[in-house]
Amino acid sequence: MRLTREHDVIQISFLPRLFPVNVYLVEEEDGVTVIDAGMPFSLKGILATAESLGKPITRIILTHAHGDHVGALDGLKEAVPSAEVSISSRDARLLAGDAALLPGEPQTPVRGSVPKGIRTRPDRLLEDGDRIGSLIAIASPGHTPGHMAFMDTRSRVLIAGDAYQLHGGLAVSGRVRPLFPFPALATWNRELALASAKHLAELEPSVLAVGHGRMLRQPAAAMRAAAADAEQRLRPAGGHL
C-alpha cells in the first residue's frame, strides 16, 4: 500500500507496482469523503488511513460500479453505517447488478466486472453538477454508462476514476496500453469515453487522480495529447469521427 497526498486529497494505492487499484480520501472540515472502494482487501487500509487523519468517514462516493471500485463497499458501510453512499443515478443500476442498456444508449454490451451480490444501496443518486461537500460531480460516460469524475473546488484536483489511466502510460479510457490493458478492455463505449476525456481536459485540473496509476500534476496538456492520440486511433483511415 502506498499513500500520496496532493492538497486535501490522499491517494491510497493498493498493489501499486503490480496492479494498482486506487482509493481516494478527501479531507473536509466535517470529516473524510472516500472516493471508490477498491477491492475487498482494501477495507483495512481505507479505515486505517481515515483513522490516522483523526476525522470520521462521512461520505462514500463511487465513480462507477466496476468490481475493482466497489469491492470494499459493503465492509465500509458496515464499519461506518452513518456514511452517505453516493453514485450516479445511471450506474446505480450497475451497482445492483443490472447491466441492461437504456433506450437511446449505444447498444454495445457493458464490459468489465459488473458486481453481483453488493448489499449496499446508495443513499444519494448523483447528476452532473451536483455538489458533495467540496466536490462537484462531472458526468463522464464511456467507461461505463454512468461514470462520473469529481473535482475538488478548493484545489482543482480531479478524481477521474477510469476516464483516464496512468499505469502503463497516460491514456484515455478505451485506448489500450499493452503494459496495463485492463481499463481499456473494460470500457463500454470508446466514442463517449473520448468525448468525456476531452471535456475533463478542458477543465484544466491542477492534478489528475485516476483509478490506476500515480497522480499527475499540471496534467491538462498531457490529457489533451492523450485524447488526440485516442481520437487518431478511432478515426477511420482518411475519414472523420
Side-chain angles (χ1 to χ4, degrees):
M1 190 176 86
R2 181 184 66 216
L3 300 179
T4 308
R5 185 180 188 116
E6 293 285 354
H7 302 283
D8 295 299
V9 178
I10 298 168
Q11 180 194 74
I12 311 173
S13 186
F14 298 93
L15 305 177
R17 294 182 180 180
L18 179 64
F19 193 110
V21 174
N22 298 333
V23 173
Y24 292 91
L25 304 187
V26 181
E27 278 201 83
E28 300 275 8
E29 288 187 5
D30 63 342
V32 175
T33 298
V34 177
I35 301 182
D36 285 339
M39 304 291 282
F41 60 77
S42 305
L43 177 61
K44 183 177 179 180
I46 295 170
L47 293 174
T49 305
E51 184 178 4
S52 74
L53 299 175
K55 295 180 178 181
I57 294 173
T58 54
R59 305 174 186 89
I60 303 165
I61 307 174
L62 304 172
T63 61
H64 62 294
H66 278 156
D68 57 332
H69 292 254
V70 305
L73 177 61
D74 284 343
L76 272 175
K77 186 63 172 175
E78 289 172 8
V80 194
S82 61
E84 178 188 69
V85 177
S86 301
I87 192 172
S88 73
S89 57
R90 178 62 185 87
D91 262 29
R93 290 171 168 263
L94 292 184
L95 186 64
D98 180 5
L101 294 163
L102 300 180
E105 290 179 341
Q107 296 298 299
T108 50
V110 173
R111 298 181 178 182
S113 56
V114 176
K116 301 292 184 184
I118 295 289
R119 300 183 303 277
T120 302
R121 293 294 172 259
D123 302 297
R124 181 178 178 186
L125 300 181
L126 299 174
E127 303 294 343
D128 184 50
D130 283 351
R131 290 290 297 261
I132 316 98
S134 297
L135 302 169
I136 188 166
I138 305 163
S140 48
H143 187 68
T144 63
H147 189 285
M148 277 192 157
F150 299 92
M151 179 172 276
D152 190 327
T153 56
R154 300 166 295 183
S155 61
R156 301 193 65 77
V157 174
L158 178 66
I159 299 96
D162 284 354
Y164 283 87
Q165 72 180 70
L166 274 150
H167 194 64
L170 179 62
V172 169
S173 184
R175 171 72 166 96
V176 174
R177 289 297 189 207
L179 293 178
F180 195 72
F182 309 105
L185 298 177
T187 295
W188 163 62
N189 185 277
R190 291 189 298 165
E191 289 79 9
L192 286 175
L194 174 59
S196 293
K198 288 180 175 180
H199 174 58
L200 294 177
E202 290 170 359
L203 299 177
E204 298 282 340
S206 66
V207 176
L208 176 63
V210 298
H212 306 282
R214 291 182 177 271
M215 294 198 278
L216 179 65
R217 295 177 180 173
Q218 300 302 320
M223 292 167 72
R224 286 191 287 267
D229 172 70
E231 186 169 25
Q232 182 65 33
R233 293 280 177 167
L234 279 174
R235 183 182 296 121
H240 302 278
L241 284 176

